[in-house]
């Protein structure tokens, strides 16, 4: 059961995380809820990285191992932002933009090295990075609708990428 959960869990967790970010922007969920989600996400990312480390040594999986490590740092940065208010805005903004852009780079790389899913990975990369650009552009001055649009683009892009990865788990590791 655990290997199946490890393989398919991200197809639920990634869209759930972006949905939570959107709900937080709308003040539907509390900061405490988002902080708890950050802590749980950090534990899950660390566990996944440790349990998958040996499988992610070369090729496309290697870049995803690196993305997990960067993502862990981004997530811990988000936790720090919630716990230390002077760092809140820069740390949470960096966390959010990082989680949009970094997987976008990984999806692009994957699309270049895995022909079977090239279109899905490339589309996911474009949507994820476009989401980061839209979100960043909407920060000054803050424009809530555009911020939510950026989150939505990242949600769709990364969901497309992870669904492709789960659909074709035996792809070459490029």
């Amino acid at each position: 059961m655990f290997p199946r959960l490890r393989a398919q869990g991200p197809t639920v967790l990634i869209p759930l995380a972006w949905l939570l970010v959107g709900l937080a922007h709308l003040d539907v969920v509390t900061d405490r809820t988002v902080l708890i989600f950050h802590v749980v996400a950090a534990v899950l990312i660390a566990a996944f990285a440790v349990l998958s480390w040996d499988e992610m040594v070369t090729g496309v999986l290697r870049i995803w191992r690196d993305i997990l490590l960067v993502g862990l740092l981004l997530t811990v940065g988000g936790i720090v932002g919630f716990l230390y208010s002077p760092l809140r805005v820069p740390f949470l903004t960096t966390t959010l933009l990082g989680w949009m852009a970094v997987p976008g780079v990984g999806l692009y790389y994957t699309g270049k090295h895995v022909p079977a899913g090239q279109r899905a990975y490339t589309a996911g990369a474009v949507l994820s990075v476009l989401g980061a650009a839209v979100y960043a552009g909407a920060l000054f001055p803050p424009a809530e609708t555009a911020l939510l649009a950026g989150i939505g683009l990242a949600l769709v892009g990364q969901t497309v990428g992870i669904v492709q990865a789960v659909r074709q788990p035996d792809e070459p590791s490029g």
Side-chain angles (χ1 to χ4, degrees):
M1 179 174 141
F2 182 74
R4 183 175 173 171
L5 180 63
R6 187 174 58 148
Q8 296 182 356
T11 60
V12 173
L13 295 175
I14 289 169
L16 179 64
W18 286 116
L19 180 62
L20 184 69
V21 170
L23 292 173
H25 273 69
L26 294 170
D27 293 323
V28 173
V29 295
T30 66
D31 285 353
R32 181 172 180 188
T33 300
V34 181
L35 171 61
I36 291 167
F37 191 85
H38 270 74
V39 172
V40 170
V43 170
L44 289 174
I45 292 165
F48 185 87
V50 167
L51 294 171
S52 302
W53 193 265
D54 291 340
E55 298 169 30
M56 302 175 86
V57 175
T58 61
V60 170
L61 292 179
R62 173 58 195 256
I63 195 167
W64 286 103
R65 184 174 81 178
D66 294 345
I67 288 169
L68 284 173
L69 296 176
V70 171
L72 181 58
L73 290 174
L74 289 167
T75 305
V76 170
I79 293 168
V80 171
F82 274 110
L83 296 176
Y84 187 63
S85 60
L87 296 176
R88 179 182 175 90
V89 171
F91 273 47
L92 292 180
T93 302
T94 300
T95 297
L96 213 155
L97 288 171
W99 267 118
M100 290 178 173
V102 174
V105 171
L107 289 168
Y108 179 79
Y109 181 87
T110 303
K112 289 294 181 191
H113 293 86
V114 180
Q118 183 176 19
R119 285 186 180 163
Y121 291 125
T122 302
V126 168
L127 290 172
S128 192
V129 172
L130 182 59
V134 168
Y135 190 91
L139 288 170
F140 306 104
E144 194 65 32
T145 302
L147 293 171
L148 291 170
I151 292 165
L153 288 165
L155 182 155
V156 171
Q158 292 177 20
T159 301
V160 165
I162 193 61
V163 167
Q164 177 62 35
V166 169
R167 280 185 30 196
Q168 303 213 250
D170 296 321
E171 295 169 350
S173 60

